[in-house]
Amino acid sequence: MQTRRPSLVELRVLDGANLYFPGPAVKLTLDLSSLVGADAAATAATAEQLGLSGAHPGPTGGAPRLRFAATVVTRLLRRIAQEAGVSRLEVRSRLTGGPRRLVVAFPWHHRERAEALGHALAGAVDALPSDDVCEVVRAAAVFVRGAEQGEPPPTRRPTVPVVSVTGTNGKTTTTRMVARMGLEAGLCVGWSSTDGVQVGGRMVEAGDHSGPDGAARVLDDPQVELAVAETARGSILRRALGVAHNDVSVVTNVGTHDLGRDGVDTLDQLAEVRAVVTRDTKPEGWVVLGGGDPRTLAMRLATPARPCVFSRDPDAPALRSALAEGGRAVTVVDGAITVLEGGVDPDPLLAVADVPATLAGLCRVNLENALAATGAGLAVGLPRQAVIAGLRGFRADPADNPGRMNVYDLHGVTVVVDQAHDSAGAAALLEVMVGLRAPGRSTRLVLGTPGSGGAGAVRALGERCAHGADVVVIARSRHRKGGLRPDEVIASLRQGAAAAGRPEVEACPTELDALQLLVSGAVPGDVVGVMCHGRSRMVDLWLRGHGAAVDGPEEVRAKALAAHG
C-alpha cells in the first residue's frame, strides 16, 4: 500500500497587511496531489457532502481536477471554521506555479487558534476523499476548539509619520535620502533597511532589517519623530508589513531580478506583491510611483491616496495622469529637479549637477532615486528647504551610501563600486564608468551577481556587460537562497559573454581578487567598475589600504568634464 504524502507544505502566520488581506492572515501552501489523483466518483461524492452538488471533478490528474480540488478545499475550510464556532470566515485561495500547489489564506485575530485552524484544514485534506466528510469536519473542529486562543497580532499602529519604500532597484538609496531630509528638518529619524536600523543618524542594529522587525524596532523607539522603512519583496511575502498603515508609500520600479522566488514568476505577480505597500497607505496620504513602468503607475488606481509620479522626462504621459488626478509630479526641467502641481508654476528645487549622488548627472539611477525621495519628502510634510538640503548633502560615498556608486581614485585609476546585480543595474554602472573614463582609456569590469532571476537573466547580464566594457572578469559572488548556485552563475555569465563575442572570460574567487587583477593591468585614466554583493566593506578597506581616496563631488565633476574633452 502506497503511503500518501501529507498535504501541508508550509504554514505561515502573516502579522500585517499582505498579498491576500489588508490585515494579519494565515497562509497555507497545500499539495493537492492526493485529491487530484483520487478516484473521480469518490471525489464527486466528497464534494456532494460539502454542498457542491452536481459538480464534475474532471479527469484524474488534469487541470480541471486541480481547480475542482481547490474549490473543495476552500469549502472544507469554511465548514470546519463554522463547526468550530466562527460565524463568518473570509477565505482567499490561488493556485501557484508549483505542481498541484494551492495557497489558502484567511484572517486571524488570535495566533494559536488561527494556527490550529490551519493545521486542522491540512489534516482534513489528508483524509479526503471520505465516505463521511461530516465526521472529518467534526474532528477538525474539535481540534480547533481545543486550542488556546493565543496572542493578538503584533502589528504596530504608528503614532509618527511613516514612509515605506519598496521596488526592485533603488530602495536603500531612496530611504537614505528621505532619512537625510528628515534629519535636515531637525527631526529624529528612525530608518530601517537592508543595512540595519538607525535612529537619529546613529546605527543601533546592523544587518538586514528590511522587514517588519526593522519597522517595529524603529517605531518602538520613543525618540523617533519620522519613520522611514525599506520594505523588501521577501518580507512582504514571508512576514507581511509590520505597520498598520503608511503615510507615504514609494514604489521605485518592478524589475525581473526578483522573479523565480517564493512562487513569484511573472512581473504581474511581482507588481501585485509590491502593491501591498501602496494599498496600506492612509487615504489622506500619498503614493510616490515611478512613471516609467506601467505596472508601477497602475498601483495608484487601487488606493484612495493621492498620486505623486516621478520621471526624468517632463513630458511623460504618466506625469500628466498624476496632475489630472489632482496629484503631483517630480521631474527634471532645464537641468533642475522640479516639482509640478496643477494650477501653480513649476517649482525648481536645485540643479541636478548640485545633487552629489547623481555624480555630476552621470548616474541616472540615482537621479531617479533623488526624484522619488523628493516626492516622498514633500509628501510626508518636510519643509522645502529641508528637502533641498537633504539632496545637496547626501553623497554617493562609503559614508552616506556604502557600496552604491562609490567612486575612488587609486593612483589615477578610477574605481567605481556598486551593488549592481541585474542588467538594469549593470547598464547604470557602465554608463557611469564611460562618463568618468579619460579619453583614449579603457573600462574594466568586475562582473558578478547572486544569480537571482534565473539562468536567462544571468546570461543576459553577461552579454550586456561583455558588450559594454573593454575588459571583463567574472567574480564568484555569494550564493543567495533561491538563486542559481555559484558555478551555475559563472557558467551562465560565460554563455552570455560568448554570445557577445567573448568566449574566454576569466573567473576569480571573489570580487576583491577580480579587482586586484584588473587594477594590476590598469593605467591612469582607466575606470574599473566592481559589481559587489555583500563584500563592499572588504573592497573599501583594500582600496584605502593601497592609497585610494574617495572622490568628492568636485573630483567627480572634474573627471566627467575631462572625459567629455
Side-chain angles (χ1 to χ4, degrees), residues 423-445:
S423 291
L429 175 58
L430 289 165
E431 187 175 41
V432 170
M433 292 169 61
V434 171
L436 296 175
R437 176 186 58 188
R441 298 307 185 192
S442 66
T443 54
R444 309 165 70 82
L445 180 66

Side-chain angles (χ1 to χ4, degrees), residues 87-449:
S87 58
R88 182 175 179 272
L89 181 70
E90 289 187 82
V91 179
R92 293 182 182 164
S93 63
R94 60 174 64 186
L95 295 167
T96 71
R100 299 179 176 180
R101 296 282 173 88
L102 174 72
V103 170
V104 181
F106 56 90
W108 69 275
H109 302 287
H110 297 91
R111 181 180 294 268
E112 290 186 27
R113 183 67 61 84
E115 286 182 306
L117 178 56
H119 285 292
L121 172 64
V125 171
D126 289 341
L128 299 184
S130 171
D131 294 332
D132 192 350
V133 175
C134 290
E135 179 55 34
V136 171
V137 170
R138 276 194 297 270
V142 167
F143 176 76
V144 175
R145 288 196 299 269
E148 297 290 333
Q149 281 199 332
E151 295 295 321
T155 308
R156 299 308 195 275
R157 297 196 172 275
T159 58
V160 299
V162 176
V163 178
S164 289
V165 182
T166 191
T168 299
N169 303 100
K171 297 184 295 295
T172 303
T173 299
T174 301
T175 57
R176 283 192 173 121
M177 287 181 171
V178 176
R180 181 61 175 263
M181 294 170 182
L183 292 173
E184 294 287 353
L187 301 176
C188 180
V189 181
W191 167 71
S192 61
S193 77
T194 52
D195 287 341
V197 176
Q198 288 191 12
V199 174
R202 179 177 60 87
M203 183 70 74
V204 296
E205 193 169 339
D208 187 347
H209 291 279
S210 57
D213 291 340
R217 178 71 176 81
V218 166
L219 292 171
D220 287 346
D221 194 309
Q223 304 176 80
V224 170
E225 298 170 291
L226 170 66
V228 183
E230 178 180 343
T231 308
R233 168 209 56 82
S235 70
I236 296 173
L237 286 168
R238 294 190 285 269
R239 295 287 307 282
L241 303 187
V243 296
H245 64 258
N246 307 311
D247 294 84
V248 177
S249 298
V250 182
V251 183
T252 57
N253 48 43
V254 177
T256 59
H257 173 67
D258 290 322
L259 298 182
R261 290 182 287 169
D262 297 307
V264 177
D265 300 310
T266 69
L267 285 173
D268 288 334
Q269 290 173 335
L270 181 57
E272 188 180 19
V273 175
R274 301 286 185 200
V276 171
V277 177
T278 60
R279 293 199 303 269
D280 200 41
T281 312
K282 295 165 66 174
E284 64 272 23
W286 289 82
V287 289
V288 181
L289 306 171
D293 175 19
R295 293 179 177 86
T296 302
L297 181 64
M299 294 178 193
R300 76 192 195 283
L301 304 177
T303 172
R306 290 169 288 180
C308 174
V309 175
F310 63 91
S311 172
R312 299 194 312 267
D313 179 8
D315 297 318
L319 305 189
R320 294 197 295 272
S321 297
L323 296 175
E325 295 166 10
R328 182 181 288 161
V330 185
T331 186
V332 178
V333 177
D334 293 334
I337 292 179
T338 302
V339 180
L340 306 178
E341 291 192 70
V344 299
D345 292 335
D347 180 16
L349 301 185
L350 78 168
V352 170
D354 293 331
V355 181
T358 69
L359 300 178
L362 294 176
C363 185
R364 290 191 290 180
V365 293
N366 271 355
L367 172 54
E368 292 185 350
N369 294 335
L371 297 178
T374 298
L378 294 173
V380 82
L382 298 179
R384 178 179 183 275
Q385 287 305 314
V387 172
I388 294 173
L391 292 173
R392 196 187 298 275
F394 183 85
R395 298 188 175 192
D397 63 21
D400 283 353
N401 209 22
R404 293 167 174 85
M405 292 297 180
N406 300 160
V407 182
Y408 301 78
D409 189 277
L410 180 64
H411 310 303
V413 176
T414 298
V415 179
V416 186
V417 180
D418 187 63
Q419 292 189 6
H421 49 256
D422 56 14
S423 291
L429 175 58
L430 289 165
E431 187 175 41
V432 170
M433 292 169 61
V434 171
L436 296 175
R437 176 186 58 188
R441 298 307 185 192
S442 66
T443 54
R444 309 165 70 82
L445 180 66
V446 175
L447 167 58
T449 177

Side-chain angles (χ1 to χ4, degrees), residues 462-513:
E463 185 174 3
R464 175 71 184 82
C465 292
H467 274 304
D470 297 316
V471 181
V472 175
V473 172
I474 294 173
R476 188 185 184 93
S477 295
R478 289 178 176 173
H479 177 61
R480 177 178 291 177
K481 185 178 179 181
L484 301 177
R485 297 192 308 273
D487 290 343
E488 293 174 323
V489 170
I490 293 173
S492 295
L493 289 174
R494 280 178 165 154
Q495 290 170 8
R502 295 189 181 183
E504 300 294 333
V505 177
E506 187 169 353
C508 293
T510 69
E511 293 95 337
L512 182 55
D513 293 305

